[in-house]
Amino acid sequence: PQQSLFLLNNPFIIDQSKAIAARLEKVEPAQRVALAYQLLFSREPGPVELELGNRYLKGQDAETGPLSRTERYAQALLASSEFLFVE
């Protein structure tokens, strides 16, 4: 748990999340999840990953925070097991 919290709060990860989000926001919304998976995992997202990612990115926040929805999505992918560990 501490490693996950470290990754979510680490300034380097936050900066990288913002940089990835900036790249994602340059493409059409329908292409953002696929681009994120290509950049971070070098693969296409599966159908469920694509649906969940698109649904999340289309959502709306009740409150504004320090990170945009796209930045938080990139941050979650950076903190994922698939990104952190080689199988």
Side-chain angles (χ1 to χ4, degrees):
Q2 289 91 355
Q3 183 179 11
S4 296
L5 290 174
F6 174 77
L7 288 173
L8 292 176
N9 295 314
N10 184 287
F12 177 76
I13 297 296
I14 292 170
D15 289 343
Q16 295 307 304
S17 299
K18 289 179 179 185
I20 292 166
R23 289 183 70 179
L24 297 179
E25 290 171 352
K26 291 180 181 178
V27 300
E28 295 295 321
Q31 299 172 335
R32 290 179 183 166
V33 173
L35 178 58
Y37 273 76
Q38 282 296 325
L39 291 172
L40 296 172
F41 307 128
S42 297
R43 67 173 180 86
E44 294 293 323
V48 173
E49 294 166 327
L50 187 61
E51 180 187 344
L52 290 174
N54 282 326
R55 191 179 331 157
Y56 179 77
L57 291 175
K58 288 178 186 174
Q60 301 214 351
D61 296 326
E63 300 176 18
T64 58
L67 298 178
S68 71
R69 186 166 276 268
T70 307
E71 291 166 343
R72 288 193 315 270
Y73 180 69
Q75 184 183 38
L77 293 178
L78 285 171
S80 70
S81 293
E82 184 173 353
F83 186 78
L84 297 173
F85 300 102
V86 177
E87 292 186 14

